Amino acid sequence: MKAPLPSRGFTINPAGRFEVRRFEPDFPEGDASTVVVEDRTRSILATNDSPDVPFDRSINPYRGCEHGCAYCFARPSHAYLGWSPGRDFETKILAKPRAADLLRRELAKPGYRCEPIALGTNTDPYQPLERKMRITRSVLEVLVEHRHPFSIVTKSAGVLRDLDLIAPMAREGMAKVFLSITTLDPELARRLEPRASAPRRRLEALRGLGSEGVPTGVLASPMIPGLNDHELERILEASAAAGASSAGYLLVRLPNEMKTLFVEWLGLHYPTKAGKVLALIREMRGGELNDPRFGERMRGRGPYADLLARRFEVACRRYGLRGREASLDTSRFRVPEPVGRQRRLFG
């Protein structure tokens, strides 16, 4: 089994499930380069009607993610591009430099109904590329200009770079930020999320956001039984101390190719724990490694899943953390002028 390259989650690069020919190319020793491809998508808003998530529309400025998280449920989406959910997902990134213009067009469409837009629901809007490309920032500039509410989910302290945009909106009830904190153990974090901000920096980001009046929450996600679930209470306690006012958690999800990838990762990094971890996941997934059904996929079922849910509820009460239900103000949305229309002479 190959050792992981420096600061990457996977070396293996199995073909996606739609490929007829299956092969796994070797990568040069020490190669950790990222290839950026322009995503020529004609729309930027993704919509959903899932009962498992608290939003109906989202924006992902990037497809693929340099963070390289070993558990990322978005990895299989790279198979639709003809790329591998393994190494390709974290080294071949599609960026959407036209995101801001596309968003302005979407908001100007007749009949557009303003509801909060979620950023970071599939891949991280503050992955390392954002420092250079600033696509997420350009999207926020449009949302601020038109007084459109938004929420952000990230595991990067890079979110603090955009405090000048986020804080004024947050103080008017139109923005909130969630930091995903999977573990407080820096060694586990390096293996599990190799290019994401260290846990201490995510806690510092919570403090920095809170100091500017931004409502913040923590997502203790994903909980991986037998690997990091023993940290649940400590993560919530540390986050509350850093200023988080709300919390959520998700159980690890292993759709499609993720089953093979995660088993490989466990065998490489935690061989003595692999059997227990996989057995506990199966216990909560009806004997399988994944259960895609609405209502089950985020929490699991069975005694172990029920215990995890009770522990979360007790810890939230102990540390004064609410759920994720805080609403955002949609009443001040300003419709953009349709592209090509002459602006009104008088306001």
Side-chain angles (χ1 to χ4, degrees):
M1 189 178 293
K2 297 178 182 178
L5 295 176
S7 73
R8 291 296 185 185
F10 290 113
T11 296
I12 61 171
N13 209 42
R17 61 194 180 283
F18 303 114
E19 302 306 300
V20 176
R21 291 184 297 172
R22 295 185 175 272
F23 63 94
E24 185 176 331
D26 289 326
F27 291 95
E29 188 67 26
D31 179 21
S33 59
T34 296
V35 176
V36 181
V37 179
E38 181 177 345
D39 189 330
R40 298 182 182 276
T41 182
R42 296 181 180 181
S43 62
I44 195 64
L45 281 181
T47 59
N48 78 88
D49 57 2
S50 168
D52 294 329
V53 294
F55 56 86
D56 69 354
R57 65 199 69 184
S58 59
I59 293 176
N60 290 286
Y62 305 94
R63 299 174 71 181
C65 186
E66 288 185 287
H67 283 161
C69 301
Y71 51 75
C72 182
F73 64 81
R75 282 181 177 271
S77 63
H78 249 41
Y80 291 101
L81 305 172
W83 292 340
S84 172
R87 180 74 183 284
D88 283 350
F89 181 80
E90 53 195 281
T91 58
K92 293 182 178 179
I93 311 298
L94 272 78
K96 304 175 183 179
R98 297 178 57 237
D101 290 338
L102 291 171
L103 175 59
R104 190 173 279 107
R105 290 174 182 269
E106 295 268 9
L107 301 185
K109 286 181 178 178
Y112 175 79
R113 178 177 56 86
C114 178
E115 292 292 341
I117 291 175
L119 285 83
T121 59
N122 204 43
T123 56
D124 203 304
Y126 288 99
Q127 58 181 285
L129 270 177
E130 172 62 16
R131 181 181 291 275
K132 175 178 68 176
M133 301 199 73
R134 296 164 64 92
I135 299 175
T136 298
R137 182 174 179 86
S138 71
V139 167
L140 292 180
E141 287 172 343
V142 173
L143 295 173
V144 170
E145 178 184 354
H146 298 292
R147 314 292 285 166
H148 196 297
F150 60 88
S151 64
I152 297 171
V153 176
T154 182
K155 51 175 63 72
S156 174
V159 66
L160 295 176
R161 293 194 299 268
D162 290 338
L163 252 179
D164 61 315
L165 298 174
I166 299 168
M169 291 286 281
R171 287 193 287 268
E172 295 186 51
M174 290 187 282
K176 57 184 175 182
V177 178
F178 293 91
L179 267 292
S180 173
I181 301 179
T182 313
T183 177
L184 299 179
D185 178 352
E187 178 58 32
L188 175 56
R190 278 193 293 271
R191 298 184 184 197
L192 197 59
E193 309 159 330
R195 287 199 172 191
S197 295
R200 63 173 179 78
R201 294 199 62 220
R202 293 182 226 180
L203 292 172
E204 290 169 1
L206 284 173
R207 294 189 188 93
L209 290 160
S211 69
E212 294 296 324
V214 180
T216 58
V218 59
L219 299 180
S221 300
M223 285 287 102
I224 305 171
L227 190 63
N228 72 334
D229 60 322
H230 64 284
E231 295 188 70
L232 177 60
E233 289 83 358
R234 291 199 302 122
I235 292 170
L236 297 178
E237 180 181 16
S239 299
S245 59
S246 60
Y249 82 96
L250 302 175
L251 182 65
V252 64
R253 295 171 53 198
L254 302 174
N256 300 309
E257 293 90 347
M258 276 310 301
K259 291 185 279 292
T260 299
L261 289 166
F262 190 69
V263 169
E264 289 271 3
W265 182 88
L266 275 175
L268 177 62
H269 291 281
Y270 296 98
T272 61
K273 295 183 178 181
K276 178 182 178 182
V277 171
L278 295 174
L280 288 171
I281 293 175
R282 287 191 174 95
E283 179 184 324
M284 291 190 280
R285 298 296 193 193
E288 304 293 334
L289 287 178
N290 189 57
D291 185 347
R293 292 177 299 168
F294 288 154
E296 301 286 351
R297 57 182 183 154
M298 302 297 193
R299 294 287 189 268
R301 54 194 168 101
Y304 205 96
D306 292 343
L307 176 60
L308 190 64
R310 286 197 295 272
R311 286 173 52 200
F312 175 77
E313 292 169 2
V314 169
C316 283
R317 287 197 300 270
R318 180 182 303 156
Y319 302 119
L321 295 166
R322 305 185 306 274
R324 296 179 60 185
E325 70 283 357
S327 60
L328 296 174
D329 184 4
T330 61
S331 66
R332 285 175 278 182
F333 172 56
R334 300 171 183 166
V335 180
E337 291 287 346
V339 176
R341 178 180 293 181
Q342 185 175 354
R343 291 187 180 274
R344 290 174 295 177
L345 181 60
F346 300 102

